[in-house]
PDB file of all heavy atoms in Angstrom:
ATOM      1  N   VAL C   1      20.718 -62.972 -51.854  1.00  0.00           N
ATOM      2  CA  VAL C   1      20.044 -61.668 -51.948  1.00  0.00           C
ATOM      3  C   VAL C   1      20.461 -60.990 -53.246  1.00  0.00           C
ATOM      4  O   VAL C   1      21.293 -61.478 -53.996  1.00  0.00           O
ATOM      5  CB  VAL C   1      20.393 -60.782 -50.735  1.00  0.00           C
ATOM      6  CG1 VAL C   1      19.892 -61.403 -49.452  1.00  0.00           C
ATOM      7  CG2 VAL C   1      21.900 -60.548 -50.674  1.00  0.00           C
ATOM      8  N   TYR C   2      19.867 -59.814 -53.499  1.00  0.00           N
ATOM      9  CA  TYR C   2      20.184 -59.021 -54.678  1.00  0.00           C
ATOM     10  C   TYR C   2      20.757 -57.671 -54.249  1.00  0.00           C
ATOM     11  O   TYR C   2      20.337 -57.088 -53.243  1.00  0.00           O
ATOM     12  CB  TYR C   2      18.940 -58.800 -55.525  1.00  0.00           C
ATOM     13  CG  TYR C   2      18.410 -60.064 -56.171  1.00  0.00           C
ATOM     14  CD1 TYR C   2      17.530 -60.891 -55.473  1.00  0.00           C
ATOM     15  CD2 TYR C   2      18.781 -60.430 -57.446  1.00  0.00           C
ATOM     16  CE1 TYR C   2      17.054 -62.058 -56.040  1.00  0.00           C
ATOM     17  CE2 TYR C   2      18.293 -61.592 -58.034  1.00  0.00           C
ATOM     18  CZ  TYR C   2      17.434 -62.395 -57.334  1.00  0.00           C
ATOM     19  OH  TYR C   2      16.964 -63.549 -57.899  1.00  0.00           O
ATOM     20  N   ASN C   3      21.747 -57.193 -55.008  1.00  0.00           N
ATOM     21  CA  ASN C   3      22.315 -55.893 -54.679  1.00  0.00           C
ATOM     22  C   ASN C   3      21.476 -54.774 -55.304  1.00  0.00           C
ATOM     23  O   ASN C   3      20.437 -55.034 -55.903  1.00  0.00           O
ATOM     24  CB  ASN C   3      23.785 -55.795 -55.128  1.00  0.00           C
ATOM     25  CG  ASN C   3      23.930 -55.933 -56.639  1.00  0.00           C
ATOM     26  OD1 ASN C   3      22.976 -55.734 -57.389  1.00  0.00           O
ATOM     27  ND2 ASN C   3      25.130 -56.279 -57.090  1.00  0.00           N
ATOM     28  N   LYS C   4      21.921 -53.525 -55.188  1.00  0.00           N
ATOM     29  CA  LYS C   4      21.138 -52.389 -55.670  1.00  0.00           C
ATOM     30  C   LYS C   4      20.971 -52.400 -57.174  1.00  0.00           C
ATOM     31  O   LYS C   4      20.038 -51.790 -57.697  1.00  0.00           O
ATOM     32  CB  LYS C   4      21.797 -51.094 -55.211  1.00  0.00           C
ATOM     33  CG  LYS C   4      21.766 -50.888 -53.702  1.00  0.00           C
ATOM     34  CD  LYS C   4      22.406 -49.564 -53.309  1.00  0.00           C
ATOM     35  CE  LYS C   4      22.350 -49.357 -51.804  1.00  0.00           C
ATOM     36  NZ  LYS C   4      22.996 -48.079 -51.404  1.00  0.00           N
ATOM     37  N   ARG C   5      21.882 -53.061 -57.891  1.00  0.00           N
ATOM     38  CA  ARG C   5      21.788 -53.132 -59.348  1.00  0.00           C
ATOM     39  C   ARG C   5      20.943 -54.325 -59.814  1.00  0.00           C
ATOM     40  O   ARG C   5      20.817 -54.577 -61.002  1.00  0.00           O
ATOM     41  CB  ARG C   5      23.178 -53.206 -59.959  1.00  0.00           C
ATOM     42  CG  ARG C   5      24.013 -51.938 -59.782  1.00  0.00           C
ATOM     43  CD  ARG C   5      25.300 -52.035 -60.545  1.00  0.00           C
ATOM     44  NE  ARG C   5      26.127 -53.139 -60.042  1.00  0.00           N
ATOM     45  CZ  ARG C   5      27.220 -53.591 -60.669  1.00  0.00           C
ATOM     46  NH1 ARG C   5      27.576 -53.060 -61.832  1.00  0.00           N
ATOM     47  NH2 ARG C   5      27.909 -54.578 -60.156  1.00  0.00           N
ATOM     48  N   GLY C   6      20.396 -55.070 -58.861  1.00  0.00           N
ATOM     49  CA  GLY C   6      19.561 -56.207 -59.207  1.00  0.00           C
ATOM     50  C   GLY C   6      20.329 -57.478 -59.509  1.00  0.00           C
ATOM     51  O   GLY C   6      19.768 -58.437 -60.044  1.00  0.00           O
ATOM     52  N   LEU C   7      21.621 -57.516 -59.195  1.00  0.00           N
ATOM     53  CA  LEU C   7      22.427 -58.698 -59.452  1.00  0.00           C
ATOM     54  C   LEU C   7      22.429 -59.616 -58.240  1.00  0.00           C
ATOM     55  O   LEU C   7      22.452 -59.149 -57.091  1.00  0.00           O
ATOM     56  CB  LEU C   7      23.873 -58.297 -59.798  1.00  0.00           C
ATOM     57  CG  LEU C   7      24.036 -57.441 -61.062  1.00  0.00           C
ATOM     58  CD1 LEU C   7      25.503 -57.030 -61.227  1.00  0.00           C
ATOM     59  CD2 LEU C   7      23.563 -58.191 -62.289  1.00  0.00           C
ATOM     60  N   ARG C   8      22.444 -60.910 -58.504  1.00  0.00           N
ATOM     61  CA  ARG C   8      22.451 -61.876 -57.408  1.00  0.00           C
ATOM     62  C   ARG C   8      23.761 -61.812 -56.656  1.00  0.00           C
ATOM     63  O   ARG C   8      24.839 -61.718 -57.251  1.00  0.00           O
ATOM     64  CB  ARG C   8      22.254 -63.295 -57.944  1.00  0.00           C
ATOM     65  CG  ARG C   8      20.856 -63.628 -58.362  1.00  0.00           C
ATOM     66  CD  ARG C   8      20.794 -64.985 -59.018  1.00  0.00           C
ATOM     67  NE  ARG C   8      21.213 -66.040 -58.113  1.00  0.00           N
ATOM     68  CZ  ARG C   8      20.371 -66.723 -57.345  1.00  0.00           C
ATOM     69  NH1 ARG C   8      19.079 -66.450 -57.383  1.00  0.00           N
ATOM     70  NH2 ARG C   8      20.791 -67.679 -56.570  1.00  0.00           N
ATOM     71  N   GLN C   9      23.674 -61.863 -55.345  1.00  0.00           N
ATOM     72  CA  GLN C   9      24.851 -61.959 -54.497  1.00  0.00           C
ATOM     73  C   GLN C   9      24.679 -63.156 -53.570  1.00  0.00           C
ATOM     74  O   GLN C   9      23.572 -63.473 -53.158  1.00  0.00           O
ATOM     75  CB  GLN C   9      25.062 -60.690 -53.688  1.00  0.00           C
ATOM     76  CG  GLN C   9      25.508 -59.502 -54.518  1.00  0.00           C
ATOM     77  CD  GLN C   9      25.857 -58.299 -53.650  1.00  0.00           C
ATOM     78  OE1 GLN C   9      25.218 -58.064 -52.632  1.00  0.00           O
ATOM     79  NE2 GLN C   9      26.859 -57.545 -54.063  1.00  0.00           N
ATOM     80  N   SER C  10      25.761 -63.789 -53.273  1.00  0.00           N
ATOM     81  CA  SER C  10      25.708 -64.970 -52.411  1.00  0.00           C
ATOM     82  C   SER C  10      26.403 -64.676 -51.088  1.00  0.00           C
ATOM     83  O   SER C  10      27.635 -64.747 -50.988  1.00  0.00           O
ATOM     84  CB  SER C  10      26.397 -66.158 -53.107  1.00  0.00           C
ATOM     85  OG  SER C  10      26.401 -67.278 -52.279  1.00  0.00           O
ATOM     86  N   PRO C  11      25.629 -64.316 -50.067  1.00  0.00           N
ATOM     87  CA  PRO C  11      26.236 -63.940 -48.798  1.00  0.00           C
ATOM     88  C   PRO C  11      26.694 -65.117 -47.940  1.00  0.00           C
ATOM     89  O   PRO C  11      27.308 -64.919 -46.909  1.00  0.00           O
ATOM     90  CB  PRO C  11      25.097 -63.172 -48.105  1.00  0.00           C
ATOM     91  CG  PRO C  11      23.860 -63.820 -48.637  1.00  0.00           C
ATOM     92  CD  PRO C  11      24.169 -64.188 -50.051  1.00  0.00           C
ATOM     93  N   TYR C  12      26.369 -66.384 -48.368  1.00  0.00           N
ATOM     94  CA  TYR C  12      26.804 -67.479 -47.512  1.00  0.00           C
ATOM     95  C   TYR C  12      28.322 -67.622 -47.605  1.00  0.00           C
ATOM     96  O   TYR C  12      28.965 -67.341 -48.618  1.00  0.00           O
ATOM     97  CB  TYR C  12      26.089 -68.786 -47.836  1.00  0.00           C
ATOM     98  CG  TYR C  12      25.918 -69.166 -49.280  1.00  0.00           C
ATOM     99  CD1 TYR C  12      26.998 -69.569 -50.054  1.00  0.00           C
ATOM    100  CD2 TYR C  12      24.657 -69.152 -49.870  1.00  0.00           C
ATOM    101  CE1 TYR C  12      26.838 -69.941 -51.381  1.00  0.00           C
ATOM    102  CE2 TYR C  12      24.489 -69.513 -51.184  1.00  0.00           C
ATOM    103  CZ  TYR C  12      25.579 -69.905 -51.937  1.00  0.00           C
ATOM    104  OH  TYR C  12      25.419 -70.274 -53.251  1.00  0.00           O
ATOM    105  N   ASN C  13      28.888 -68.077 -46.522  1.00  0.00           N
ATOM    106  CA  ASN C  13      30.343 -68.128 -46.396  1.00  0.00           C
ATOM    107  C   ASN C  13      30.921 -69.390 -47.026  1.00  0.00           C
ATOM    108  O   ASN C  13      30.202 -70.219 -47.593  1.00  0.00           O
ATOM    109  CB  ASN C  13      30.740 -68.019 -44.912  1.00  0.00           C
ATOM    110  CG  ASN C  13      30.065 -69.095 -44.073  1.00  0.00           C
ATOM    111  OD1 ASN C  13      29.907 -70.232 -44.505  1.00  0.00           O
ATOM    112  ND2 ASN C  13      29.651 -68.716 -42.864  1.00  0.00           N
ATOM    113  N   ASP C  14      32.249 -69.551 -46.902  1.00  0.00           N
ATOM    114  CA  ASP C  14      32.909 -70.716 -47.510  1.00  0.00           C
ATOM    115  C   ASP C  14      32.408 -72.017 -46.892  1.00  0.00           C
ATOM    116  O   ASP C  14      32.348 -73.039 -47.568  1.00  0.00           O
ATOM    117  CB  ASP C  14      34.424 -70.590 -47.324  1.00  0.00           C
ATOM    118  CG  ASP C  14      35.015 -69.455 -48.146  1.00  0.00           C
ATOM    119  OD1 ASP C  14      34.361 -69.065 -49.135  1.00  0.00           O
ATOM    120  OD2 ASP C  14      36.116 -68.972 -47.816  1.00  0.00           O
ATOM    121  N   GLY C  15      32.045 -71.963 -45.625  1.00  0.00           N
ATOM    122  CA  GLY C  15      31.533 -73.171 -44.983  1.00  0.00           C
ATOM    123  C   GLY C  15      30.197 -73.589 -45.567  1.00  0.00           C
ATOM    124  O   GLY C  15      29.939 -74.792 -45.772  1.00  0.00           O
ATOM    125  N   ASP C  16      29.353 -72.606 -45.874  1.00  0.00           N
ATOM    126  CA  ASP C  16      28.065 -72.917 -46.509  1.00  0.00           C
ATOM    127  C   ASP C  16      28.266 -73.501 -47.893  1.00  0.00           C
ATOM    128  O   ASP C  16      27.597 -74.452 -48.294  1.00  0.00           O
ATOM    129  CB  ASP C  16      27.198 -71.640 -46.620  1.00  0.00           C
ATOM    130  CG  ASP C  16      26.722 -71.157 -45.267  1.00  0.00           C
ATOM    131  OD1 ASP C  16      26.539 -72.006 -44.364  1.00  0.00           O
ATOM    132  OD2 ASP C  16      26.520 -69.946 -45.110  1.00  0.00           O
ATOM    133  N   LEU C  17      29.209 -72.911 -48.656  1.00  0.00           N
ATOM    134  CA  LEU C  17      29.465 -73.409 -50.001  1.00  0.00           C
ATOM    135  C   LEU C  17      30.013 -74.829 -49.961  1.00  0.00           C
ATOM    136  O   LEU C  17      29.644 -75.673 -50.779  1.00  0.00           O
ATOM    137  CB  LEU C  17      30.468 -72.472 -50.705  1.00  0.00           C
ATOM    138  CG  LEU C  17      30.743 -72.771 -52.185  1.00  0.00           C
ATOM    139  CD1 LEU C  17      29.456 -72.663 -52.996  1.00  0.00           C
ATOM    140  CD2 LEU C  17      31.783 -71.803 -52.719  1.00  0.00           C
ATOM    141  N   LEU C  18      30.871 -75.087 -49.004  1.00  0.00           N
ATOM    142  CA  LEU C  18      31.397 -76.447 -48.841  1.00  0.00           C
ATOM    143  C   LEU C  18      30.285 -77.424 -48.509  1.00  0.00           C
ATOM    144  O   LEU C  18      30.223 -78.533 -49.063  1.00  0.00           O
ATOM    145  CB  LEU C  18      32.453 -76.466 -47.721  1.00  0.00           C
ATOM    146  CG  LEU C  18      33.040 -77.834 -47.376  1.00  0.00           C
ATOM    147  CD1 LEU C  18      33.773 -78.431 -48.574  1.00  0.00           C
ATOM    148  CD2 LEU C  18      33.985 -77.721 -46.168  1.00  0.00           C
ATOM    149  N   ARG C  19      29.355 -77.006 -47.648  1.00  0.00           N
ATOM    150  CA  ARG C  19      28.244 -77.888 -47.272  1.00  0.00           C
ATOM    151  C   ARG C  19      27.336 -78.147 -48.459  1.00  0.00           C
ATOM    152  O   ARG C  19      26.850 -79.272 -48.646  1.00  0.00           O
ATOM    153  CB  ARG C  19      27.463 -77.254 -46.126  1.00  0.00           C
ATOM    154  CG  ARG C  19      26.282 -78.107 -45.636  1.00  0.00           C
ATOM    155  CD  ARG C  19      26.718 -79.503 -45.263  1.00  0.00           C
ATOM    156  NE  ARG C  19      25.602 -80.344 -44.860  1.00  0.00           N
ATOM    157  CZ  ARG C  19      25.636 -81.663 -44.845  1.00  0.00           C
ATOM    158  NH1 ARG C  19      26.739 -82.326 -45.219  1.00  0.00           N
ATOM    159  NH2 ARG C  19      24.574 -82.358 -44.465  1.00  0.00           N
ATOM    160  N   LEU C  20      27.080 -77.135 -49.304  1.00  0.00           N
ATOM    161  CA  LEU C  20      26.270 -77.333 -50.494  1.00  0.00           C
ATOM    162  C   LEU C  20      26.881 -78.367 -51.423  1.00  0.00           C
ATOM    163  O   LEU C  20      26.185 -79.215 -51.991  1.00  0.00           O
ATOM    164  CB  LEU C  20      26.075 -76.009 -51.230  1.00  0.00           C
ATOM    165  CG  LEU C  20      25.044 -75.035 -50.643  1.00  0.00           C
ATOM    166  CD1 LEU C  20      25.101 -73.702 -51.375  1.00  0.00           C
ATOM    167  CD2 LEU C  20      23.636 -75.619 -50.723  1.00  0.00           C
ATOM    168  N   ASN C  21      28.198 -78.308 -51.584  1.00  0.00           N
ATOM    169  CA  ASN C  21      28.883 -79.288 -52.426  1.00  0.00           C
ATOM    170  C   ASN C  21      28.810 -80.681 -51.809  1.00  0.00           C
ATOM    171  O   ASN C  21      28.657 -81.677 -52.533  1.00  0.00           O
ATOM    172  CB  ASN C  21      30.337 -78.885 -52.642  1.00  0.00           C
ATOM    173  CG  ASN C  21      30.507 -77.860 -53.755  1.00  0.00           C
ATOM    174  OD1 ASN C  21      30.444 -78.186 -54.930  1.00  0.00           O
ATOM    175  ND2 ASN C  21      30.728 -76.602 -53.370  1.00  0.00           N
ATOM    176  N   GLU C  22      28.900 -80.757 -50.486  1.00  0.00           N
ATOM    177  CA  GLU C  22      28.756 -82.048 -49.816  1.00  0.00           C
ATOM    178  C   GLU C  22      27.362 -82.628 -50.012  1.00  0.00           C
ATOM    179  O   GLU C  22      27.202 -83.835 -50.244  1.00  0.00           O
ATOM    180  CB  GLU C  22      29.061 -81.899 -48.318  1.00  0.00           C
ATOM    181  CG  GLU C  22      30.512 -81.611 -47.996  1.00  0.00           C
ATOM    182  CD  GLU C  22      30.758 -81.339 -46.527  1.00  0.00           C
ATOM    183  OE1 GLU C  22      29.761 -81.126 -45.804  1.00  0.00           O
ATOM    184  OE2 GLU C  22      31.919 -81.323 -46.107  1.00  0.00           O
ATOM    185  N   LEU C  23      26.362 -81.766 -49.921  1.00  0.00           N
ATOM    186  CA  LEU C  23      24.974 -82.193 -50.130  1.00  0.00           C
ATOM    187  C   LEU C  23      24.788 -82.704 -51.559  1.00  0.00           C
ATOM    188  O   LEU C  23      24.117 -83.722 -51.794  1.00  0.00           O
ATOM    189  CB  LEU C  23      24.003 -81.052 -49.846  1.00  0.00           C
ATOM    190  CG  LEU C  23      23.899 -80.601 -48.389  1.00  0.00           C
ATOM    191  CD1 LEU C  23      23.083 -79.322 -48.283  1.00  0.00           C
ATOM    192  CD2 LEU C  23      23.277 -81.691 -47.533  1.00  0.00           C
ATOM    193  N   LYS C  24      25.370 -81.999 -52.515  1.00  0.00           N
ATOM    194  CA  LYS C  24      25.278 -82.416 -53.920  1.00  0.00           C
ATOM    195  C   LYS C  24      25.879 -83.806 -54.111  1.00  0.00           C
ATOM    196  O   LYS C  24      25.284 -84.676 -54.768  1.00  0.00           O
ATOM    197  CB  LYS C  24      25.995 -81.411 -54.820  1.00  0.00           C
ATOM    198  CG  LYS C  24      25.978 -81.793 -56.305  1.00  0.00           C
ATOM    199  CD  LYS C  24      26.782 -80.792 -57.130  1.00  0.00           C
ATOM    200  CE  LYS C  24      26.718 -81.142 -58.616  1.00  0.00           C
ATOM    201  NZ  LYS C  24      27.249 -82.491 -58.901  1.00  0.00           N
ATOM    202  N   GLU C  25      27.042 -84.027 -53.558  1.00  0.00           N
ATOM    203  CA  GLU C  25      27.709 -85.328 -53.708  1.00  0.00           C
ATOM    204  C   GLU C  25      26.927 -86.432 -53.019  1.00  0.00           C
ATOM    205  O   GLU C  25      26.819 -87.557 -53.526  1.00  0.00           O
ATOM    206  CB  GLU C  25      29.134 -85.246 -53.141  1.00  0.00           C
ATOM    207  CG  GLU C  25      30.063 -84.334 -53.915  1.00  0.00           C
ATOM    208  CD  GLU C  25      30.179 -84.745 -55.370  1.00  0.00           C
ATOM    209  OE1 GLU C  25      30.286 -85.962 -55.643  1.00  0.00           O
ATOM    210  OE2 GLU C  25      30.160 -83.856 -56.245  1.00  0.00           O
ATOM    211  N   GLU C  26      26.363 -86.141 -51.853  1.00  0.00           N
ATOM    212  CA  GLU C  26      25.594 -87.141 -51.111  1.00  0.00           C
ATOM    213  C   GLU C  26      24.321 -87.518 -51.863  1.00  0.00           C
ATOM    214  O   GLU C  26      23.965 -88.702 -51.949  1.00  0.00           O
ATOM    215  CB  GLU C  26      25.257 -86.612 -49.720  1.00  0.00           C
ATOM    216  CG  GLU C  26      24.419 -87.577 -48.871  1.00  0.00           C
ATOM    217  CD  GLU C  26      25.147 -88.851 -48.501  1.00  0.00           C
ATOM    218  OE1 GLU C  26      26.367 -88.932 -48.745  1.00  0.00           O
ATOM    219  OE2 GLU C  26      24.497 -89.774 -47.992  1.00  0.00           O
ATOM    220  N   VAL C  27      23.624 -86.519 -52.418  1.00  0.00           N
ATOM    221  CA  VAL C  27      22.419 -86.802 -53.192  1.00  0.00           C
ATOM    222  C   VAL C  27      22.764 -87.623 -54.436  1.00  0.00           C
ATOM    223  O   VAL C  27      22.061 -88.576 -54.784  1.00  0.00           O
ATOM    224  CB  VAL C  27      21.716 -85.486 -53.589  1.00  0.00           C
ATOM    225  CG1 VAL C  27      20.598 -85.752 -54.598  1.00  0.00           C
ATOM    226  CG2 VAL C  27      21.136 -84.798 -52.368  1.00  0.00           C
ATOM    227  N   SER C  28      23.873 -87.267 -55.110  1.00  0.00           N
ATOM    228  CA  SER C  28      24.286 -88.025 -56.296  1.00  0.00           C
ATOM    229  C   SER C  28      24.612 -89.470 -55.928  1.00  0.00           C
ATOM    230  O   SER C  28      24.260 -90.400 -56.665  1.00  0.00           O
ATOM    231  CB  SER C  28      25.518 -87.360 -56.931  1.00  0.00           C
ATOM    232  OG  SER C  28      25.212 -86.076 -57.408  1.00  0.00           O
ATOM    233  N   ARG C  29      25.264 -89.668 -54.786  1.00  0.00           N
ATOM    234  CA  ARG C  29      25.608 -91.026 -54.351  1.00  0.00           C
ATOM    235  C   ARG C  29      24.358 -91.843 -54.081  1.00  0.00           C
ATOM    236  O   ARG C  29      24.264 -93.018 -54.481  1.00  0.00           O
ATOM    237  CB  ARG C  29      26.475 -90.964 -53.083  1.00  0.00           C
ATOM    238  CG  ARG C  29      26.995 -92.323 -52.619  1.00  0.00           C
ATOM    239  CD  ARG C  29      27.681 -92.205 -51.276  1.00  0.00           C
ATOM    240  NE  ARG C  29      26.738 -91.848 -50.225  1.00  0.00           N
ATOM    241  CZ  ARG C  29      25.923 -92.715 -49.627  1.00  0.00           C
ATOM    242  NH1 ARG C  29      25.925 -94.002 -49.995  1.00  0.00           N
ATOM    243  NH2 ARG C  29      25.115 -92.319 -48.667  1.00  0.00           N
ATOM    244  N   LEU C  30      23.380 -91.231 -53.428  1.00  0.00           N
ATOM    245  CA  LEU C  30      22.125 -91.941 -53.141  1.00  0.00           C
ATOM    246  C   LEU C  30      21.372 -92.288 -54.414  1.00  0.00           C
ATOM    247  O   LEU C  30      20.800 -93.376 -54.527  1.00  0.00           O
ATOM    248  CB  LEU C  30      21.241 -91.076 -52.222  1.00  0.00           C
ATOM    249  CG  LEU C  30      21.709 -90.910 -50.781  1.00  0.00           C
ATOM    250  CD1 LEU C  30      20.922 -89.810 -50.088  1.00  0.00           C
ATOM    251  CD2 LEU C  30      21.608 -92.215 -50.020  1.00  0.00           C
TER     252      LEU C  30
END
């Protein structure tokens, strides 16, 4: 989402960030 100043904010938690990195590694492996 974006805050009031129009800057990007990432509300997903550490678990989401970890999963994104796992997805990146899995796609690269494939």
Side-chain angles (χ1 to χ4, degrees):
V1 296
Y2 293 86
N3 62 20
K4 293 181 179 179
R5 293 187 297 169
L7 298 176
R8 285 173 62 92
Q9 289 186 324
S10 178
Y12 44 71
N13 55 38
D14 291 339
D16 291 330
L17 187 59
L18 177 62
R19 181 55 182 159
L20 283 172
N21 278 284
E22 290 175 347
L23 292 171
K24 178 184 183 301
E25 293 302 318
E26 179 66 10
V27 170
S28 296
R29 185 187 67 80
L30 290 168

